[in-house]
Structures are given as C-alpha cells and as structure tokens.
Amino acid sequence: MTDDTQKLREELQQLREDYEALEHNFDIMSEGYQESLLLYDKLEETYHELEETNKQLEIARHRAEEASQMKTNFIQQISHEIRTPLNILNGFTQILTTPGMELDEAMQEEVTKGIGENTERITSLVKKMLELADANSSDELERNDDVPAVQIAAQAADESRITLATHLTFDLDLGEGADMAMMHTNLQQATRALSLLLDNAMKFTHPAEAAGGAAAVTEKARVVLRVSMATEQQIAFTVEDTGIGVPPEEAEHIFDEFVQLDDYYDGTGIGLTVARSIARRLGGDIVLDTAYSGGARFVMTLPL
C-alpha cells in the first residue's frame, strides 16, 4: 500500500510538473501571440501611413503638373498680352515714319490716343509682374496716410477707368457712416487693390471672345462699388457685378497665381492674387461672397 501511495504521489508530482511546463509554454505562446498582434498592428499602421503618403505624393504630383501647366499658360498669355500692344505701337510707328505721310487732325488724335493706350497697357502689365514678385510676402505694408474711405473708392474707380467702360453701368454706393469714415492706411496700395477688383469686374462682365465680342451683348452689365462699415473698426469695399460669376467651390482657388477659370477671357490670372496679398498686408482681407448668385461679389475689408 505504501508503494502504491508513493507511486501515486510521484505520478501526481509528474502531472504537476507537466502542467507547470504546459502553463509556462502557454505563457510563452501567449506572449508570442501578443507580440505578433502588436507587430501586425504596427505593420498595418505603417501600411496605412505609406498609403496616405502615396496619396499625398499623388496630390502633390498633380498640383505640380497643374502649376507647371498654369505657368506655361501664363507665359503664353503674357506673350500675347505684350505682343498685341507692341504690334499696334509698331503700326503707329510705321504710319508716323512713312516718308511723305501727312495726317489730318482726326488721324493725329487717333494715333496719339492709340499710342497712349497701348503704352499704358504694357506699363500696367509690367507693373502687375513686379507686384506678383511681392504677392507671397508676409511683410506688412506701411500705413502712413489718413484719408477718407470714399477717396480710396473714387481713386480706384479712376485708376481702373471703369467709369469709361461702355459695356457696363457703374455705380458708387456709400453706406451709412462710410461717407464720413477716415482710414489710417496706405492710400496707394489700398487704391491699387481695389482697382484690381474693379478691373476684374470689368473683364468678366465683358463678352468673352468666343461669344462674338460686343455684338453678343443683349443687356448692359452692371458693376456696383459699395463702401460700408463692416464693423466699428473695419471698412468694407464690395465690388458686385452681373458677370459670369465664380462657382462656390472655386472661391479660394481663384486667388491662386495664374488661375484662369475661363480661357475665353484675356488676362494673366494674377490680379486677384496681387489684390488679396495687398489687402492682407494692410491688415485686411479679400473674399468671394459665395452667397451671391447674380454674378460675382468680392468684399475687401480694411482696418480704419
């Protein structure tokens, strides 16, 4: 009986040892399984990161291609914009230098006017190019002028020559308090930014070349420049037109360099870029009012 008891004890001890060995092996297996799960999770996370990186790289590649194409289009457009007035000036020069050519008073006025207009066109284009070089600058512009807000509106209208445009009617609307509002700003730069908005309104209320020019007009376009108090500390210059408008999804894209939403309209695609840059460097901003559907409405806010 004693031998049987001893044998049973030995078998129980062996079972206990076997169980402990199995338990130890199970713990090792469990740790290995947990490590495998962690490794799998890490690999999956790395895969998703790589997938996201690939997506970002694809987006960057697409944007680079788009930017390259826009720059190509810009260079082509600049070439066209410069070549056209140069050809006109060349034509006038040939008229003036032709031996024995006598011009009557009407022709002399036409030649003088043509030379002036096309010289100014080239000068304006060069000016935009120089302004574009500063468009990405974050440096604040000096504000040393104390002027009425209405003066900026009036000078911008004169500078843009929108009052002389024959394809539209132009109105200046002064809101309550705005007619007496004084601003501490940079008169030249604030006027320039607003005149670029008016230039944009003139351009996109005019019939596109593909539409057959002025002959396609059935109703006169309208542009309104509203000056109003945005807040107690801000003045708002709102340029509202009845032109082709801007899709809401393009509200930010149109402020990028070289962007032209409609290839049938002449232009360099830098006016809005320069205008917003100036406004922001004066402590304000320019935005597209996407709630307006009758054309386009741009709002430039500047501090008083």
Side-chain angles (χ1 to χ4, degrees):
M1 192 67 175
T2 303
D3 291 340
D4 291 340
T5 301
Q6 182 62 31
K7 185 177 179 180
L8 182 59
R9 286 176 177 175
E10 290 175 355
E11 289 177 352
L12 287 173
Q13 180 62 32
Q14 184 62 46
L15 286 172
R16 187 179 293 108
E17 291 175 358
D18 291 343
Y19 173 77
E20 290 175 353
L22 286 171
E23 189 176 37
H24 178 66
N25 289 335
F26 178 78
D27 289 340
I28 293 175
M29 290 175 64
S30 179
E31 289 176 3
Y33 176 71
Q34 292 298 326
E35 289 177 358
S36 296
L37 285 178
L38 291 174
L39 180 59
Y40 175 80
D41 290 341
K42 189 172 183 179
L43 286 172
E44 188 175 34
E45 183 180 345
T46 302
Y47 170 77
H48 288 309
E49 288 176 354
L50 287 173
E51 192 176 43
E52 182 61 28
T53 300
N54 286 334
K55 288 181 181 178
Q56 294 300 322
L57 287 173
E58 180 62 24
I59 292 173
R61 183 187 66 80
H62 178 72
R63 286 179 177 172
E65 290 178 350
E66 186 180 53
S68 177
Q69 184 59 48
M70 285 193 298
K71 287 181 180 179
T72 299
N73 294 341
F74 173 72
I75 292 171
Q76 292 173 345
Q77 187 63 43
I78 286 293
S79 177
H80 170 72
E81 289 278 328
I82 292 177
R83 189 183 298 113
T84 299
L86 281 178
N87 287 339
I88 295 173
L89 290 174
N90 182 53
F92 285 136
T93 301
Q94 290 180 11
I95 292 175
L96 293 174
T97 57
T98 300
M101 175 69 72
E102 293 185 5
L103 304 178
D104 58 27
E105 186 175 343
M107 179 59 74
Q108 288 178 5
E109 289 181 1
E110 183 179 345
V111 170
T112 301
K113 181 182 178 183
I115 291 175
E117 288 178 348
N118 285 280
T119 299
E120 185 175 340
R121 185 174 174 184
I122 294 174
T123 302
S124 176
L125 184 60
V126 172
K127 184 177 181 181
K128 280 187 180 180
M129 294 292 293
L130 293 174
E131 289 172 330
L132 181 61
D134 292 330
N136 293 319
S137 173
S138 58
D139 295 338
E140 290 187 5
L141 293 168
E142 291 185 358
R143 292 186 285 163
N144 299 320
D145 302 315
D146 293 304
V147 295
V150 67
Q151 181 179 342
I152 293 174
Q155 289 189 198
D158 289 340
E159 184 177 311
S160 67
R161 296 194 172 186
I162 194 169
T163 55
L164 304 178
T166 57
H167 72 283
L168 59 79
T169 58
F170 173 71
D171 294 308
L172 176 60
D173 180 26
L174 301 178
E176 184 179 353
D179 54 340
M180 301 297 292
M182 292 293 295
M183 298 178 64
H184 183 70
T185 188
N186 185 311
L187 175 59
Q188 180 181 2
Q189 294 294 336
T191 299
R192 178 59 177 162
L194 185 54
S195 71
L196 286 170
L197 292 183
L198 293 173
D199 282 338
N200 187 74
M202 280 194 294
K203 173 182 172 183
F204 290 106
T205 52
H206 201 285
E209 292 181 355
V217 177
T218 57
E219 185 178 343
K220 249 192 176 182
R222 184 167 181 258
V223 175
V224 180
L225 169 55
R226 292 190 173 89
V227 186
S228 60
M229 300 299 300
T231 66
E232 291 183 356
Q233 301 299 322
Q234 279 191 326
I235 197 87
F237 297 90
T238 302
V239 177
E240 180 181 297
D241 66 57
T242 57
I244 63 173
V246 180
E249 63 272 17
E250 300 287 350
E252 285 300 312
H253 187 220
I254 54 170
F255 290 101
D256 292 340
E257 297 174 359
F258 318 128
V259 171
Q260 285 278 83
L261 297 184
D262 194 324
D263 293 334
Y264 290 118
Y265 283 83
D266 285 337
T268 56
I270 59 179
L272 291 177
T273 305
V274 171
R276 174 180 266 189
S277 173
I278 292 172
R280 287 182 171 178
R281 293 167 68 195
L282 287 174
D285 202 359
I286 295 177
V287 297
L288 174 73
D289 182 357
T290 56
Y292 179 67
S293 59
R297 179 190 285 155
F298 289 89
V299 182
M300 179 174 76
T301 52
L302 293 176
L304 292 175

